[in-house]
Amino acid sequence: MIFFFIVSKITGENEHPGREMAGCLAFTIGGIVLGGILMSLTVVFLFPILLGQQSITPISEVLNSLWPIIKAGLIATGIVTIITIMPLVGSLIAYSPGAQTFLMGFIIFTLFTRDMFNIMLSESNIQSSIYPTIWEFIGFIIIATALTWLLIGILSVISLPFSNTELGYIITMIGGQVLGVLAGIITLCMYTNFIMLSFLDNISY
């Protein structure tokens, strides 16, 4: 919302159509990019929790890694954007904020942990893969999508008393996006838990 306010002030209201179009484009692209960066920050903050610990990443460490975090967010945004414009699969993901959030989180998590896991696997002499198969990964996407629509459905029922009102519109729009992100993060936690359990299972053999 703050980003939209800034863009609207820069481009002006009731201005030339070309300027309005530029503002709309800036809002769309800027919003997507900002969302990717915020998702990257969220994943980095939650790293210890995603890896099975009970704390978050200290702010000082996050600030020291700010550029890699931004870069990971931009990469994830670009990849997910490309996926969403692909035929069939893209349209399904495009309409599921949870699936988009999960995919972005997965990409960011992989970018930051790939080398770490490779070293851990090498030191533990583990030859088998700890990552889910393609069908299992698709299952995570389905879970994220189903969880998204379940939460949005519950929100729609809750907001029924406010239907046809501005408050109802705000609850549905903002709440839907928030719940979509929440569904994606929950699914990401399930994914990382799968990896950690797989790693521990391989160590035990």
Side-chain angles (χ1 to χ4, degrees), residues 39-186:
M39 185 61 199
S40 188
L41 283 168
T42 301
V43 171
V44 172
F45 267 120
L46 296 177
F47 261 154
I49 295 176
L50 294 174
L51 295 174
Q53 301 177 24
Q54 296 181 346
S55 60
I56 61 173
T57 305
I59 296 179
S60 58
E61 293 186 17
V62 174
L63 294 177
N64 290 335
S65 305
L66 203 54
W67 169 238
I69 292 172
I70 294 174
K71 185 166 64 173
L74 294 175
I75 292 172
T77 300
I79 294 175
V80 173
T81 300
I82 292 173
I83 292 175
T84 57
I85 62 177
M86 294 173 61
L88 188 60
V89 176
S91 60
L92 295 175
I93 294 175
Y95 289 103
S96 174
Q100 293 178 44
T101 300
F102 166 68
L103 286 174
M104 291 183 68
F106 155 74
I107 294 168
I108 294 165
F109 181 82
T110 302
L111 288 173
F112 280 107
T113 62
R114 179 178 51 197
D115 292 339
M116 179 191 73
F117 277 119
N118 286 339
I119 293 173
M120 291 170 63
L121 291 172
S122 177
E123 291 179 348
S124 302
N125 197 28
I126 297 176
Q127 303 298 325
S128 58
S129 175
I130 62 173
Y131 298 100
T133 64
I134 182 64
W135 293 111
E136 289 170 335
F137 186 78
I138 292 174
F140 282 112
I141 296 177
I142 293 174
I143 290 173
T145 302
L147 188 56
T148 298
W149 291 114
L150 174 63
L151 293 176
I152 290 178
I154 294 174
L155 178 67
S156 299
V157 173
I158 295 174
S159 63
L160 279 177
F162 308 101
S163 59
N164 300 322
T165 65
E166 185 175 351
L167 178 59
Y169 176 78
I170 293 174
I171 291 175
T172 303
M173 292 298 295
I174 298 179
Q177 289 296 320
V178 171
L179 291 178
V181 171
L182 179 61
I185 292 177
I186 291 173

